[in-house]
């Protein structure tokens, strides 16, 4: 009798490993497997990314030649090296602090940030985030292609005597754009691989650049705000310092609409502090390309000042003019790697989000369409309209409008205590109606009002020296207070609207609202055609 009860016990123990093995983490899909997921919620089984992957993507997208160009702006504005370094540190740190909370939406909801914004702007109001991400992607994709293409052609000219004509530049731009589009079509895993390589190789090349320019670098470069400067020049110091810091700040903030594109593959149970920390550190790490741009710009200003003329700056040309001959090849490699990295992080998210605005388009088709339109803009803007000089102004204005949207999102997360209904977030994508986030016919005018009012205020008070001055931009003695003012207005106005015009109780989680009042109203049922999740993307088993 005694062996009989022992045998089932032994059978259970032997069966235990078989029961545990299915719970083992799944292997990531192959690099060359085209990503099937769109903006539907990523299944838990497919979430194999880590916070380190988020760091690589966000840092890789900024560890590029285009960031060096932004890093040169403090010198273009007349600051000394140390003043420029202070402005750069201020811009990077503040920008990283503004950006990093935007990383939490992806793991929580398994989708991108524009779709998550349905909770605060409404089922239809979420198109605001899609529109902003589209403009941001086109702007920064163009900056990366133009700056990297110019560097590649310039380096090839110095190395091999390549003619610097429109044909050469056109081929370089087409090469970058085509490679970027191919990577984005394959999707997240291929893009992650590219950025893993880019982070390490670009960092090594920047450090090699530090060796190349060490003999010419003089940290005592004084700029124009010296003791001998006249009163009119001195009066421009703070406008120039704040303007330089805000241009630097625009780089980390530009990732706000895209963080969810990458963090949605991180498991939902990952500690939030690790996700937020990865996003923050990814931007602190961009001090490498920023300081490289700042230091080399100070050398250019001393040795080849014509290249840093604020009326017609040419950082790439100046860099090539002061580079030792052996550094031309690393410059070309930096251009190639940087163009790929920045371009993929910008274009991938926009193609993904565009597929949610037009649900009949798959992620691949939407990526190809947006990529084609972006390439047309790059060529027309470069050869037809000469927009290269004004694209930095365009990017800054987009950031001024995007930052209040980020404030609404982050305060919405705080007031909701991080609680969301994933099914209700997908109503727009499934061509349905109703749900917790339907509000007034799909629009939450509280979040929308806070966004457009504060964005308008930011534009009105913008003052970018030599580029754009808003109608009220001179009220602060030339200091650009547009972005800081829009941040404050967005926060105060959104919280005030939530208190005066309370949202439905149903949009808040079981713990209720924080810093907001609620009202009990029925939740409209979700109705309409809908598209089953297994039609939006094949299940993981079938793709394997």
């Amino acid at each position: 009798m005694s062996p009989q009860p022992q045998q089932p016990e032994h059978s259970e123990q032997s069966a235990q490993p078989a029961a545990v093995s299915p719970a083992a983490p799944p292997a990531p899909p192959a690099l060359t497997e085209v990503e099937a997921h769109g903006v539907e919620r990523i299944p838990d089984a497919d979430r194999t990314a880590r916070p380190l992957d988020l760091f690589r993507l966000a840092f890789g997208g900024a560890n590029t030649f285009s960031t060096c160009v932004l890093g040169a702006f403090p010198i273009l504005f007349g600051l000394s090296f140390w003043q420029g370094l202070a402005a750069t540190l201020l811009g990077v740190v503040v920008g990283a602090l503004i950006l990093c909370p935007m990383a939490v939406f992806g793991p929580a909801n398994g989708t991108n940030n524009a779709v998550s914004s349905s909770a605060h702007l409404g089922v239809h109001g979420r198109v605001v985030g899609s529109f902003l991400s589209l403009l941001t992607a086109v702007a920064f994709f163009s900056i990366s292609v133009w700056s990297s293409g110019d560097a590649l052609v310039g380096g090839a000219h110095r190395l091999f005597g390549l003619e610097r004509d429109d044909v050469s530049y056109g081929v370089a731009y087409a090469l970058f754009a085509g490679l970027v589009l191919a990577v984005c079509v394959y999707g997240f895993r291929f893009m992650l691989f590219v950025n893993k390589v880019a982070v390490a190789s670009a960092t090594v090349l920047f450090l090699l650049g530090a060796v190349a320019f060490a003999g010419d670098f003089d940290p005592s470069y004084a700029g124009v705000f010296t003791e001998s400067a006249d009163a009119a020049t001195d009066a421009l110091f703070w406008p120039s310092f704040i303007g330089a810091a805000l241009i630097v700040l625009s780089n980390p903030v530009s990732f706000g609409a895209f963080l969810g594109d990458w963090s949605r593959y991180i498991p939902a149970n990952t500690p939030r502090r690790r996700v937020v920390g990865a996003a923050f550190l990814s931007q602190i790490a961009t001090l490498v390309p920023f300081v490289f741009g700042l230091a080399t710009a100070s050398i250019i200003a001393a040795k080849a000042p014509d290249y840093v003329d604020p009326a017609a700056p040419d950082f790439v040309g100046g860099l090539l003019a002061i580079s030792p001959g052996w550094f031309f090849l690393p410059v070309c490699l930096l251009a190639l790697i940087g163009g790929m990295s920045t371009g993929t992080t910008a274009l991938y998210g926009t193609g993904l989000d565009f597929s949610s605005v037009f649900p009949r388009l798959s992620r691949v088709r939407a990526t190809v369409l947006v990529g084609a339109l972006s390439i047309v803009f790059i060529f027309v803007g470069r050869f037809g309209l000469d927009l290269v000089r004004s694209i930095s102004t365009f990017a800054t204005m987009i950031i001024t409008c995007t930052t209040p949207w980020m404030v609404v999102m982050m305060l919405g997360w705080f007031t909701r205590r991080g609680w969301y209904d994933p099914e209700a977030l997908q109503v727009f994508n499934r061509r349905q109606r109703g749900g917790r986030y339907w509000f007034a016919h799909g629009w939450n005018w509280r979040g929308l009002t806070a966004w457009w009012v504060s964005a308008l205020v930011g534009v009105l008070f913008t003052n970018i020296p030599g580029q754009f001055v808003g109608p009220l931009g001179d009220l602060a003695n030339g200091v650009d207070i547009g972005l800081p003012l829009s941040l404050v207005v967005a926060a105060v106005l959104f919280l005030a609207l939530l208190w005066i015009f309370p949202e439905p109780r149903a949009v808040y989680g079981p713990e209720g609202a924080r810093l907001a009042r609620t009202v009990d109203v029925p939740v409209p049922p979700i109705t309409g055609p809908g598209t089953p999740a297994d039609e939006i993307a094949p299940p993981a088993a079938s793709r394997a």
Side-chain angles (χ1 to χ4, degrees), residues 209-261:
V211 175
F213 298 108
D216 293 325
F217 174 61
D218 181 5
S220 65
Y221 172 75
V224 301
F225 302 105
T226 61
E227 293 181 356
S228 59
D230 55 30
T233 301
D234 284 338
L236 295 175
F237 172 74
W238 284 113
S240 299
F241 182 88
I242 299 299
L246 290 176
I247 286 180
V248 171
L249 180 146
S250 71
N251 197 63
V253 171
S254 69
F255 288 94
F258 303 128
L259 281 187
D261 303 335

Side-chain angles (χ1 to χ4, degrees), residues 28-31 35 46 48-49 53 187-194 265:
L31 289 177
E35 181 187 3
D46 290 352
T48 56
D53 295 325
F188 177 78
R189 288 291 160 191
F190 202 171
M191 183 177 65
L192 179 59
F193 171 75
V194 169
Y265 276 97

Side-chain angles (χ1 to χ4, degrees), residues 80-95:
S80 70
F81 171 78
W82 292 111
Q83 292 165 347
L85 182 61
T88 300
L89 287 171
L90 176 64
V92 169
V93 172
V94 174

Side-chain angles (χ1 to χ4, degrees), residues 87-356:
T88 300
L89 287 171
L90 176 64
V92 169
V93 172
V94 174
L97 289 172
I98 295 173
L99 170 72
C100 63
M102 295 297 294
V104 300
F105 293 95
N109 298 324
T111 187
N112 70 345
N113 285 353
V115 173
S116 293
S117 72
S118 300
H120 308 297
L121 301 180
V123 168
H124 294 148
R126 49 134 302 178
V127 298
V128 169
S130 301
F131 179 68
L132 291 172
S133 67
L134 175 63
L135 293 179
T136 304
V138 171
F140 281 85
F141 182 38
S142 300
I143 291 174
S144 70
V145 170
W146 286 332
S147 59
S148 297
D150 291 351
L152 183 62
V153 171
H157 171 74
R158 298 292 294 270
L159 280 171
F160 312 113
L162 177 71
E163 288 295 327
R164 290 185 292 184
D165 53 20
D166 288 349
V167 175
S168 300
Y169 287 113
V171 170
Y173 299 156
L175 172 66
F176 280 121
L179 290 174
V180 167
L181 185 55
V183 172
C184 293
V185 166
Y186 276 105
F188 177 78
R189 288 291 160 191
F190 202 171
M191 183 177 65
L192 179 59
F193 171 75
V194 169
N195 278 273
K196 283 180 180 179
V197 175
V199 165
S201 55
T203 301
V204 170
L205 290 171
F206 279 128
L207 295 178
L208 187 62
V211 175
F213 298 108
D216 293 325
F217 174 61
D218 181 5
S220 65
Y221 172 75
V224 301
F225 302 105
T226 61
E227 293 181 356
S228 59
D230 55 30
T233 301
D234 284 338
L236 295 175
F237 172 74
W238 284 113
S240 299
F241 182 88
I242 299 299
L246 290 176
I247 286 180
V248 171
L249 180 146
S250 71
N251 197 63
V253 171
S254 69
F255 288 94
F258 303 128
L259 281 187
D261 303 335
W262 316 319
S263 64
R264 66 197 178 112
Y265 276 97
I266 297 176
N269 60 0
T270 304
R272 290 174 186 167
R273 67 180 183 277
R274 293 183 58 200
V275 178
V276 172
F280 179 79
L281 292 176
S282 70
Q283 299 309 305
I284 297 301
T286 63
L287 286 170
V288 173
F290 268 120
V291 174
F292 179 85
L294 176 70
T296 51
S298 68
I299 300 173
I300 295 169
K303 299 185 65 175
D306 290 344
Y307 289 99
V308 291
D309 180 0
D314 183 7
F315 172 78
V316 174
L319 182 67
L320 291 170
I322 65 169
S323 293
W326 63 266
F327 193 63
F328 293 153
L329 180 58
V331 166
C332 293
L333 292 175
L334 263 175
L336 180 63
I337 294 169
M340 287 286 294
S341 187
T342 299
T344 53
T345 52
L347 189 59
Y348 168 80
T350 306
L352 174 68
D353 199 55
F354 208 66
S355 69
S356 69

